[in-house]
Amino acid sequence: MDPVAAFSLAGTILQFIDSGTRFVGLARGLYRSGSDDTNSHGDLLKLTKSLDAVLPKLKSTASDDDMEKSLNQLALDCGKTTARLLSILQKVKMAENARKRDALKAAFRLICKEDEIKSLQDQLSSFQNQLNLHLLLSLRDYASKSVEQQETVLQQLGVAREQRLSVGGICASILEYLASRKGGLNNQTLETRNLQQNLIKALFENCEFTPAEKLQPPTIQLSQTDRDTAQSLFVASLQYDDMVDRENRIATAHESTFQWVFQDSQSQNHRIQTTKWSNLRDWLESDDQLYWITGKAGSGKSTLMKFLCSPKAEMLRAHDVQDIPNHGNARDQSRCHPYLEKWAGTSGLIVPSFYFWNSGMELQMSRVGLLRTLLCQVVAQRPDILPVISPKEWEIACLFGRIVADWSRFDLQQMLFRAVTTLRSDTKILFFVDGLDEFDGRHEDLISMVQDIIRDNSHVKVCVASRPWNIFQTAFRQKANLRVEDLTFDDIKNFVRSKFHADTEFESLRRRYPSFADKLMDNIVVKASGVFLWVDLVVASLLAGMRLGDRIEDFQRRLDELPPDLEKLYEKILHSLDPFYLEHAAQYFSLVETAEKPLTILQFAFADEESPQSAIKMRLGSTSDEEISLRTEALNRRLNSRCKGFLETDRGLQSIEGNDARHPSQLTIQYLHRTVRDFIKSPKAQSFLRSSTNRRFDPSIQLCVAFLMDMKTWTGRQDHLQLLDREEEDPSTVTNVIHCFKKAAAVAKVNEGVMIELLGELRNLINRPDYRRALDKYLALLPNDGSHVSTFLGIKGFALLSSETLVTLAVIYGVVPYVRAKAEWGGLIRRPWTGYVPSSFVAGYPSRVLPLPVEESEACWPLLLDALSVQVPEPAIVECLLDLGADPNFKIPNLDSQTPWIIALTKVTSLYTLQSRTDDPAEYSRAESKWKQTLRLMFSRGADRAKVPASVLSPISRKILQDLRDEAERTERNRQQQLGPSSWLRSWNLG
């Protein structure tokens, strides 16, 4: 079919479905007793007029094309239904006194039965699904035409590319055109996004790629601008907050260190030559695929890995860098490139890297974070492979300007392996992966992935680094390797001398006592045993002593008293803290451990407030830049005096332009090193810190204070919201709200009243008109694709960050005291319905969702459903809602009259079905236990045990129901036996 005719006919069908949906909504409203009068007679007249206009256009034309025949048949079917609706409306119109509400309701009930309305709703849903599929095929056909032909189609439809108002992609103008055909421009943006959402769903559900086509790129014709936009969108979807934070935090190697690593055997000094290790330069130039860098904790493994991956300083200083064929820009070339080129030959070369970091965000220590980071670097250099490694997501990015993938570990791993396979013919790849021991998962799985990626892929090398744990020794000791502490004696010596020589006071001492100074430095190097981190701490301690006026003999005694073992050194430092500050130091460590992710220095300063009332009394925008600067400077001094370098402030993620200057609120506080975190979490250190901590200190309530005060730093400027946006995936205001509720769920019982007061102040803040206006403008700039927490909240069907949102968040994150205090009886709230349904609510249940009529735009929503929307519900919050009268059998019209009970059974079925995919058996067992408790609670509070749709009753859910019934019967029998006959009679007032 001609594209213009196809889109025009599709627009007509959309008009009909919209009118039919409004008819169903009106009919349901008339059947529902007690509904408010909303000019139903006028609505009927509008519907009649709309359907009269559509009917003549729903005609078929002769065609031999199967796709065209199918669309024509859909138009005929819609025409028949249109005629049927007009017949019903005409009969109702003829009813006497139809203008009166009661008579109109009676006429409707007489002429159109409730079963008929349900049948019509099902038919409309079927029409919508068929239309979505036809539209998707038509859009694919449109996208396969040349750019010039695409422009011609748009011109014939009377639209232009400049009309992209609310969605992206090369099909944006057509979606805007189709949405406009539904009539009225008030909700055109929402209509366009709804249409886009339906088409993406159709692509995933109905257009599966066959095995033979899986790696075939869709034939989409793009202008260079559109191609660049889609590629950038894809790369951005793989990025995440603090993706390069760990790399930036690793100390840059001292200028004289690690020079031996690229020397050939003849150029190395005697110490290096006689050490048993595999020459790294030889490995880079060879076809060997795996290299293992190992060493003690703190020996400099990460610093060496960063040294290998980083470009030489002179490359970065060059201003006239030219692109080198096949090898990318010299600015992106690592120090390894000159040696890798011998291996690569004429092939291209990509050198991605990742640094596991157990003290940072969850993604920094997970396999998902590893895969996203490596993929991001690969596709950034070779975006041409995107249609092959992820065809569906690429097609969505091109057609609709969105990335909707949730990037599961399985999907990401498949993509990476496809990328490796696709690049086999013309590109060599060297992956650097540091800190395998900091991976927060099964190390066997990580080792298997490393081995799998080089198996049968001779164009791939992998260099990994880890501590010499048994599991890594077993996997890698037969491969090329080096142990860092065996090779860095001279590096440490140079480092120590440079540090001391740079200190003017020590230089003065060395001139007076040269032999003592040289011996002191040599003793440090020997005692270090190859541990760079130990050296750094000891040198700092000795230089600090010099500033306190230490004598010569004091230096050596101080060195002798410092233990050579890193953990014992930490213990000595911890016990040497000023007793006056010890309690404060313990509080700081507690805050770091309780926070889910590293706190910014400003948040940490706010968390350091003595009274939670500070957050309530603080005025919005009252914190000037000068005060922020003073707060951060003061906190830095306190960190130095309380924590002795265990905690540090660093800059984290660099800006795109490479500008190092960042707002003070963007600097984060983290542990100096993984070994520091391990030590602080050790039983011995924890026992010492607990003995120094006031039992009344509650880190969770202090973090609630911090997040609320952070929100209040807004100055009233629109750009300040963007400045405070420290998240790549969500605006800081939204994430602060969410983190606040997460911590509220963990506050001590004694602080529950204060917590409710803080959340009340948070509600007052986000309801301020000036704050909401600026926030809404900012959120409007974000894509409505579920990739942001803010839009995820919107997709759930309620206004962003409204009072209702806060109750829902309290339910989702298990803040029982707040829910008990703020939720109304029945556990229902009213919220605006947006037309979207979150997949987490239906969990595989194929619900049919239709837009609601105007009078139902604010629908009752059960908080019990919010409690079930999370992956693993909290039985305590479910019990709280049930105590508040929540009905597990409440029918949700927006979800095709599903109930919380049905959705709970569906999600449990999914849990059992996906058991084999669970990486952590303990996590699965915990989830199973909580779901069983949840079902038991709902069952005991009247969950409908009989009226469960057959589609939900899988073998698993049938067994669950039977187990619950058996358990209820056993409980009742035991109760009756305990009561005995006389007690039973008394219970009926008969004894």
Side-chain angles (χ1 to χ4, degrees):
M1 180 181 283
D2 172 66
V4 176
F7 290 131
S8 179
L9 183 55
T12 301
I13 296 174
L14 270 175
Q15 283 180 271
F16 156 71
I17 293 175
D18 179 60
S19 298
T21 301
R22 285 188 283 124
F23 174 89
V24 169
L26 180 60
R28 281 174 27 201
L30 289 169
Y31 263 92
R32 193 166 49 239
S33 60
S35 296
D36 293 332
D37 192 341
T38 53
N39 193 21
S40 299
H41 183 73
D43 291 339
L44 286 176
L45 293 177
K46 290 179 183 177
L47 275 176
T48 304
K49 185 176 179 180
S50 175
L51 291 170
D52 275 333
V54 166
L55 184 57
K57 302 175 185 177
L58 292 172
K59 294 181 179 179
S60 175
T61 57
S63 174
D64 295 328
D65 180 74
D66 290 340
M67 177 178 162
E68 190 171 345
K69 284 180 181 178
S70 181
L71 184 59
N72 283 328
Q73 184 58 51
L74 176 59
L76 285 175
D77 292 341
C78 290
K80 293 176 183 177
T81 305
T82 303
R84 175 181 159 204
L85 291 179
L86 283 170
S87 174
I88 293 173
L89 289 170
Q90 189 62 32
K91 291 177 182 177
V92 172
K93 184 179 178 182
M94 293 171 61
E96 289 186 7
N97 301 320
R99 289 181 181 273
K100 296 180 180 178
R101 179 73 178 183
D102 293 340
L104 186 60
K105 289 169 65 175
F108 237 100
R109 290 176 175 178
L110 181 63
I111 297 167
C112 187
K113 303 301 182 185
E114 192 167 8
D115 290 345
E116 191 175 4
I117 294 174
K118 181 66 171 63
S119 173
L120 176 60
Q121 182 178 356
D122 293 340
Q123 194 173 33
L124 289 170
S125 179
S126 174
F127 289 158
Q128 182 71 67
N129 291 335
Q130 292 178 61
L131 179 62
N132 290 340
L133 183 55
H134 281 293
L135 272 176
L136 181 61
L137 295 174
S138 297
L139 289 173
R140 280 181 159 179
D141 180 60
Y142 164 80
S144 68
K145 299 181 182 300
S146 69
V147 175
E148 293 75 15
Q149 289 174 314
Q150 292 175 21
E151 288 290 350
T152 301
V153 170
L154 294 180
Q155 290 173 9
Q156 291 176 346
L157 288 172
V159 297
R161 289 185 183 271
E162 289 71 23
Q163 289 181 338
R164 298 178 187 179
L165 303 175
S166 56
V167 293
I170 62 173
C171 296
S173 296
I174 292 177
L175 295 184
E176 295 280 1
Y177 161 78
L178 292 169
S180 68
R181 290 288 303 274
K182 294 179 73 170
L185 298 178
N186 293 336
N187 293 314
Q188 186 168 331
T189 296
L190 181 59
E191 294 290 357
T192 305
R193 289 180 175 176
N194 278 343
L195 182 58
Q196 183 192 69
Q197 190 90 352
N198 289 334
L199 292 173
I200 291 172
K201 181 181 177 183
L203 191 152
F204 275 99
E205 290 183 352
N206 301 307
C207 300
E208 293 290 339
F209 292 93
T210 62
E213 295 172 327
K214 267 190 175 179
L215 297 182
Q216 295 301 316
T219 56
I220 299 176
Q221 302 299 317
L222 300 167
S223 66
Q224 190 57 50
T225 300
D226 286 328
R227 186 175 301 279
D228 291 344
T229 300
Q231 291 171 350
S232 298
L233 185 68
F234 206 107
V235 171
S237 75
L238 293 169
Q239 295 172 340
Y240 56 90
D241 186 37
D242 291 338
M243 190 170 77
V244 297
D245 173 73
R246 171 55 178 159
E247 182 179 2
N248 288 338
R249 287 179 178 276
I250 297 170
T252 301
H254 188 266
E255 59 184 11
S256 62
T257 58
F258 300 139
Q259 299 304 314
W260 47 267
V261 79
F262 292 128
Q263 293 174 348
D264 56 34
S265 302
Q266 290 71 34
S267 305
Q268 294 164 348
N269 63 37
H270 178 71
R271 185 187 299 275
I272 299 295
Q273 287 181 354
T274 56
T275 301
K276 185 179 179 182
W277 70 294
S278 307
N279 188 285
L280 183 63
R281 173 174 172 173
D282 293 343
W283 178 80
L284 292 170
E285 295 175 346
S286 73
D287 290 330
D288 287 349
Q289 291 183 271
L290 186 65
Y291 198 99
W292 180 37
I293 294 175
T294 188
K296 299 177 183 176
S299 59
K301 299 182 295 297
S302 297
T303 305
L304 175 56
M305 291 286 275
K306 180 176 179 177
F307 175 83
L308 295 173
C309 296
S310 302
K312 291 182 179 180
E314 53 267 28
M315 284 185 180
L316 294 177
R317 288 195 295 267
H319 295 289
D320 57 347
V321 174
Q322 300 295 320
D323 284 351
I324 300 175
N326 300 319
H327 296 282
N329 194 292
R331 185 175 292 273
D332 298 324
Q333 291 186 12
S334 69
R335 288 182 172 88
C336 297
H337 266 71
Y339 313 104
L340 287 170
E341 286 175 353
K342 183 174 180 180
W343 169 59
T346 59
S347 297
L349 192 57
I350 303 177
V351 187
S353 59
F354 178 76
Y355 302 80
F356 279 110
W357 178 228
N358 198 258
S359 301
M361 294 175 57
E362 182 180 349
L363 283 173
Q364 292 175 293
M365 60 184 89
S366 71
R367 205 173 347 168
V368 170
L370 165 70
L371 293 166
R372 284 177 67 168
T373 303
L374 296 181
L375 268 170
C376 185
Q377 295 172 65
V378 170
V379 300
Q381 295 187 57
R382 287 295 303 272
D384 57 295
I385 67 173
L386 286 172
V388 179
I389 68 172
S390 189
K392 281 187 181 179
E393 285 73 17
W394 172 249
E395 184 174 12
I396 292 171
C398 294
L399 298 185
F400 307 118
R402 284 175 53 182
I403 296 292
V404 297
D406 195 20
W407 297 139
S408 68
R409 178 183 59 78
F410 177 80
D411 292 337
L412 290 166
Q413 188 159 316
Q414 288 289 100
M415 284 172 60
L416 183 62
F417 277 74
R418 286 178 191 167
V420 166
T421 302
T422 305
L423 295 170
R424 178 180 289 141
S425 62
D426 62 0
T427 304
K428 299 291 181 72
I429 309 171
L430 168 55
F431 293 107
F432 281 95
V433 183
D434 177 54
L436 300 190
D437 49 283
E438 302 206 34
F439 170 56
D440 188 22
R442 283 166 38 92
H443 292 102
E444 296 90 339
D445 296 337
L446 192 59
I447 291 169
S448 295
M449 195 190 88
V450 170
Q451 293 170 338
D452 288 343
I453 206 166
I454 61 176
R455 186 179 295 115
D456 301 325
N457 288 314
S458 59
H459 64 299
V460 175
K461 286 176 176 284
V462 180
C463 178
V464 296
S466 74
R467 298 186 197 181
W469 291 355
N470 288 340
I471 189 169
F472 300 122
Q473 293 216 38
T474 301
F476 303 136
R477 65 186 168 193
Q478 301 301 323
K479 304 294 182 180
N481 66 83
L482 67 81
R483 191 165 58 186
V484 177
E485 62 265 26
D486 293 344
L487 298 160
T488 53
F489 184 90
D490 292 331
D491 290 341
I492 291 177
K493 187 174 183 178
N494 291 333
F495 173 78
V496 170
R497 290 184 180 277
S498 67
K499 284 286 187 180
F500 278 118
H501 290 168
D503 189 274
T504 55
E505 294 183 40
F506 185 85
E507 274 296 286
S508 175
L509 182 145
R510 192 175 71 87
R511 283 193 294 270
R512 285 179 288 150
Y513 310 100
S515 59
F516 168 78
D518 290 341
K519 184 180 178 182
L520 178 69
M521 289 188 287
D522 289 343
N523 287 344
I524 292 172
V525 176
V526 171
K527 195 169 183 178
S529 299
V531 181
F532 259 107
L533 183 58
W534 185 92
V535 173
D536 199 24
L537 293 170
V538 167
V539 169
S541 174
L542 292 175
L543 290 177
M546 174 168 288
R547 292 175 182 81
L548 296 174
D550 282 5
R551 300 165 299 177
I552 292 177
E553 54 269 27
D554 295 331
F555 280 105
Q556 187 60 52
R557 190 171 73 253
R558 187 185 285 268
L559 177 61
D560 291 341
E561 289 178 357
L562 292 174
D565 179 76
L566 199 56
E567 184 173 342
K568 287 184 171 55
L569 176 62
Y570 291 156
E571 187 174 349
K572 183 173 180 62
I573 294 173
L574 183 64
H575 285 268
S576 69
L577 292 177
D578 187 332
F580 183 78
Y581 294 138
L582 192 54
E583 181 181 348
H584 208 177
Q587 292 176 2
Y588 279 7
F589 291 127
S590 179
L591 286 172
V592 171
E593 281 303 310
T594 305
E596 278 191 20
K597 57 171 292 182
L599 297 171
T600 68
I601 188 170
L602 187 58
Q603 289 172 336
F604 207 102
F606 288 145
D608 200 25
E609 290 285 335
E610 286 194 35
S611 171
Q613 291 299 318
S614 300
I616 296 172
K617 294 177 181 177
M618 178 180 176
R619 291 183 297 107
L620 178 65
S622 62
T623 311
S624 64
D625 288 343
E626 182 181 4
E627 183 178 345
I628 289 175
S629 179
L630 290 173
R631 278 182 177 272
T632 54
E633 288 175 11
L635 183 66
N636 269 322
R637 289 194 297 272
R638 290 198 294 272
L639 284 171
N640 290 333
S641 61
R642 275 68 164 172
C643 302
K644 296 292 185 182
F646 282 165
L647 298 177
E648 65 171 2
T649 304
D650 212 338
R651 293 195 173 273
L653 190 66
Q654 302 297 306
S655 65
I656 296 174
E657 296 80 7
N659 182 2
D660 201 37
R662 291 174 63 105
H663 194 274
S665 65
Q666 294 175 300
L667 310 181
T668 58
I669 293 175
Q670 297 189 36
Y671 286 108
L672 170 68
H673 191 263
R674 158 76 184 274
T675 53
V676 175
R677 181 174 186 259
D678 291 345
F679 168 72
I680 293 297
K681 294 183 71 175
S682 67
K684 184 184 291 187
Q686 284 294 303
S687 175
F688 177 74
L689 291 171
R690 276 197 298 270
S691 68
S692 309
T693 306
N694 189 323
R695 292 182 180 273
R696 291 177 298 175
F697 180 75
D698 184 353
S700 295
I701 198 70
Q702 294 303 124
L703 290 172
C704 289
V705 168
F707 296 131
L708 178 55
M709 294 182 75
D710 196 23
M711 290 176 64
K712 285 190 173 184
T713 59
W714 180 60
T715 62
R717 302 195 315 267
Q718 174 68 30
D719 61 333
H720 193 209
L721 279 176
Q722 297 166 350
L723 179 65
L724 295 179
D725 186 0
R726 291 173 293 273
E727 304 280 339
E728 285 210 351
E729 298 183 356
D730 299 298
S732 59
T733 298
V734 177
T735 53
N736 272 336
V737 171
I738 290 172
H739 287 313
C740 195
F741 272 90
K742 285 183 177 180
K743 296 308 157 194
V747 300
K749 189 171 184 61
V750 68
N751 289 320
E752 287 179 355
V754 177
M755 175 267 291
I756 292 173
E757 192 176 359
L758 286 171
L759 295 184
E761 178 65 12
L762 187 151
R763 182 194 61 219
N764 295 337
L765 172 64
I766 63 175
N767 284 334
R768 283 179 58 113
D770 53 349
Y771 195 88
R772 287 210 53 81
R773 279 195 298 271
L775 181 61
D776 289 343
K777 287 180 182 177
Y778 182 43
L779 296 177
L781 302 175
L782 303 176
N784 192 14
D785 58 6
S787 63
H788 295 66
V789 171
S790 54
T791 51
F792 172 71
L793 295 179
I795 287 172
K796 284 186 177 179
F798 55 91
L800 290 170
L801 297 181
S802 64
S803 299
E804 290 79 10
T805 310
L806 299 189
V807 178
T808 283
L809 287 175
V811 169
I812 290 174
Y813 295 112
V815 192
V816 175
Y818 186 84
V819 174
R820 190 179 292 121
K822 300 298 180 182
E824 295 183 5
W825 178 258
L828 296 174
I829 59 175
R830 294 191 69 81
R831 61 173 58 143
W833 176 254
T834 65
Y836 292 105
V837 177
S839 58
S840 59
F841 286 157
V842 292
Y845 186 79
S847 64
R848 295 181 296 277
V849 183
L850 296 173
L852 290 179
V854 176
E855 62 267 24
E856 293 191 53
S857 61
E858 285 203 347
C860 284
W861 184 269
L863 289 171
L864 193 55
L865 196 59
D866 289 327
L868 300 172
S869 69
V870 295
Q871 188 174 3
V872 181
E874 284 297 332
I877 202 72
V878 173
E879 185 172 22
C880 172
L881 290 170
L882 292 171
D883 288 343
L884 286 169
D887 181 6
N889 303 313
F890 181 86
K891 290 187 176 180
I892 311 152
N894 314 93
L895 294 184
D896 198 21
S897 296
Q898 293 184 60
T899 67
W901 175 242
I902 292 174
I903 288 175
L905 287 174
T906 306
K907 294 197 74 169
V908 170
T909 299
S910 299
L911 172 72
Y912 281 90
T913 304
L914 299 175
Q915 178 179 2
S916 59
R917 302 186 195 176
T918 305
D919 289 333
D920 188 350
E923 181 181 344
Y924 173 80
S925 179
R926 182 181 69 88
E928 182 182 39
S929 174
K930 290 199 172 188
W931 270 111
K932 283 183 176 179
Q933 292 179 59
T934 298
L935 291 177
R936 189 176 292 113
L937 284 166
M938 295 175 73
F939 190 82
S940 67
R941 302 296 182 91
D944 197 330
R945 307 165 191 185
K947 298 180 180 178
V948 179
S951 58
V952 175
L953 287 178
S954 64
I956 294 172
S957 55
R958 287 180 190 277
K959 185 178 185 306
I960 293 170
L961 276 174
Q962 189 58 51
D963 289 346
L964 288 171
R965 291 190 183 103
D966 293 345
E967 181 180 320
E969 289 176 3
R970 285 195 301 272
T971 302
E972 179 61 21
R973 281 199 302 271
N974 291 337
R975 190 181 72 83
Q976 293 293 346
Q977 289 173 2
Q978 291 172 2
L979 286 174
S982 59
S983 299
W984 181 80
L985 289 171
R986 284 196 301 272
S987 69
W988 283 90
N989 295 321
L990 297 176

